[in-house]
Amino acid sequence: MKTNRKLLLMLFLMTMSLYSCQEEISNPVVESIKAIAGEDQAVKINIEVILIGESEGVSGSVQYEWNFKSKPLESESQIEDQNLPEARFTPDKTGEYILELKASKGNLSDRDELKVTVSNQDPQEPNEPEEPNEPENPSVLSKDINEDLILEDVHEDNAIPDYIVKAEITVNAKLTVKPGVVIYFEENTGLIVNPQGIIEAKGLDSNRIIFTGKEARKGFWKGILIHSNSDNNKLENVLISNGGGGEFLGVPGIKANLILEGTSISASALNLRRSTIMESGGYGMYVKGMSQLTHFQDNHFSNNLSAAAYVPARQLNMLNFHSSFNDNNGFNGIETGGELAHPSLVTWPAFNDGSKYLVSSDIVVKSGLKIMEGAIFEMKSDKMIQIEGAGYLDATGSEVNKIVFTAHNKSSSGYWKGINFTTPSPNNKLIRSEVS
């Protein structure tokens, strides 16, 4: 009897042991990972930001990766020690930087974000009243410039203006603006470069020149108007913003950050390179009459209320492929129209960012014209392209990048008049182009 009881007890213990093993096999430990990027921060520009990331839910070695999800326009900040839990970067522009931390182990991964808000002031302690910002007094410009003048960079901090314009002033001599100079304009003021004047504002990639409104809103001041046709007029590595708020005397109906004034017999001239034209209450730039873009290279137009720029047909060949007009403008491209009559063949470019042409008045081609593949022309109502006299049109696209001529408003057919060839030139070509 005792032997049977012992056998039963042993069988019971073996059964429980097997059941326990099955429990362990059928219910394995499941790992998960959680990335923790840390708390949002508020810092001052050009001060190093320390990023401390961590993870929860797993043990052992974890891989980390920090990246920017977004950062202010033109910021060139880079993350150091990007693949370590503790990384760092130095913000070079004011605004918001959104950073993402990815934590991973094997097939497990998770992401978390934090926001770094960068300003020109030291961050305030909690519940501490904010001290008023009292920058050093800038020099005041309120009189016409009748003798050669050089404006020097007074303050290293671009948030502090070096000069403030309190009246509409004219330039009747040579105005030289050095790299890093910041000029604020009071409401409804502007800068006029008269025929006898010259403006030379040459900034650096790392130290731009800024012309802007005292208040950061579209149309706060009038902008810059150039009457001078000097080859020495130069704007390089310049930022012009918040102009286009009013019309200059003698230039009715035009509001823009930058205006090249001209008529059918007179002209102004400008070399514009590596500059940003933004936040205008009208056009970014307006080239009028016989005015000349002596050079135009790698410029960026953004957030302007009207078209990025108006450039007459006779000057379209001065634009370059790498300039950008497709960034939240009223029309993301170049408005144009008028007569083309050059002594030799010219080329109208397409644009790297997909910017278009808006034809708001008839284009009359009286000389040789070649259009680059990928160019897109949107025609306004009842407008046309006329090829006449000694003119010819070579619109040769490719299978990948056709040349397109189409209506600005595609809601109905018969919207624009079309392309009219009246010349017998064998150079007239429409190849891999779309006319609709």
Side-chain angles (χ1 to χ4, degrees), residues 151-163 177-183 201-211 236-238:
L151 299 182
E152 299 282 357
D153 184 11
V154 180
H155 306 298
E156 290 186 6
D157 188 350
N158 282 348
I160 301 175
D162 301 297
Y163 305 90
V177 186
K178 291 301 185 94
V181 168
V182 178
I183 303 176
K202 297 174 66 175
L204 304 172
D205 289 338
S206 59
N207 203 16
R208 307 185 87 186
I209 295 168
I210 297 175
F211 299 89
E236 297 184 18
N237 282 306
V238 164

Side-chain angles (χ1 to χ4, degrees), residues 226-296:
I226 298 178
H227 285 284
S228 166
N229 66 355
S230 171
D231 289 338
N232 294 317
N233 288 326
K234 294 181 174 70
L235 296 177
E236 297 184 18
N237 282 306
V238 164
L239 169 67
I240 307 175
S241 64
N242 303 125
E247 298 175 6
F248 286 98
L249 184 65
V251 193
I254 298 174
K255 297 179 181 180
N257 271 344
L258 176 63
I259 302 174
L260 274 64
E261 167 64 341
T263 67
S264 59
I265 57 174
S266 66
S268 57
L270 179 64
N271 178 335
L272 184 66
R273 300 178 192 239
R274 296 186 299 279
S275 294
T276 298
I277 315 294
M278 61 186 295
E279 299 290 345
S280 170
Y283 292 89
M285 177 182 71
Y286 199 101
V287 180
K288 193 168 178 284
M290 298 295 289
S291 294
Q292 301 280 337
L293 293 167
T294 54
H295 294 279
F296 187 95

Side-chain angles (χ1 to χ4, degrees), residues 56-115:
E56 292 180 351
V58 294
S59 58
S61 178
V62 176
Q63 293 181 324
Y64 295 93
E65 182 181 354
W66 289 95
N67 285 293
F68 287 115
K69 289 198 71 177
S70 65
K71 56 183 178 178
L73 178 69
E74 298 182 352
S75 171
E76 297 181 359
S77 294
Q78 300 292 325
I79 300 173
E80 298 179 27
D81 299 326
Q82 185 176 10
N83 297 112
L84 296 178
E86 183 174 312
R88 62 198 71 236
F89 79 98
T90 301
D92 58 351
K93 301 291 180 183
T94 58
E96 291 185 351
Y97 295 72
I98 307 297
L99 293 108
E100 180 183 75
L101 172 66
K102 179 182 178 182
S104 58
K105 179 184 178 183
N107 295 326
L108 303 174
S109 67
D110 188 41
R111 301 172 189 266
D112 191 26
E113 295 178 8
L114 84 156
K115 178 172 69 176

Side-chain angles (χ1 to χ4, degrees), residues 173-224:
K174 183 175 181 180
L175 173 62
T176 303
V177 186
K178 291 301 185 94
V181 168
V182 178
I183 303 176
Y184 280 9
F185 288 79
E186 292 274 14
E187 190 170 13
N188 207 38
T189 62
L191 184 68
I192 303 173
V193 184
N194 275 338
Q196 65 272 34
I198 296 171
I199 183 169
E200 184 177 284
K202 297 174 66 175
L204 304 172
D205 289 338
S206 59
N207 203 16
R208 307 185 87 186
I209 295 168
I210 297 175
F211 299 89
T212 190
K214 186 178 178 182
E215 293 184 15
R217 60 179 170 86
K218 291 179 181 178
F220 183 76
W221 61 295
K222 287 185 178 179
I224 299 174

Side-chain angles (χ1 to χ4, degrees), residues 9 32 36 60 65 69 170 179 215 290 309 331 355 406 412:
L9 180 60
S32 63
I36 303 174
E65 182 181 354
K69 289 198 71 177
T170 60
E215 293 184 15
M290 298 295 289
F331 177 79
S355 299
T406 189
S412 61

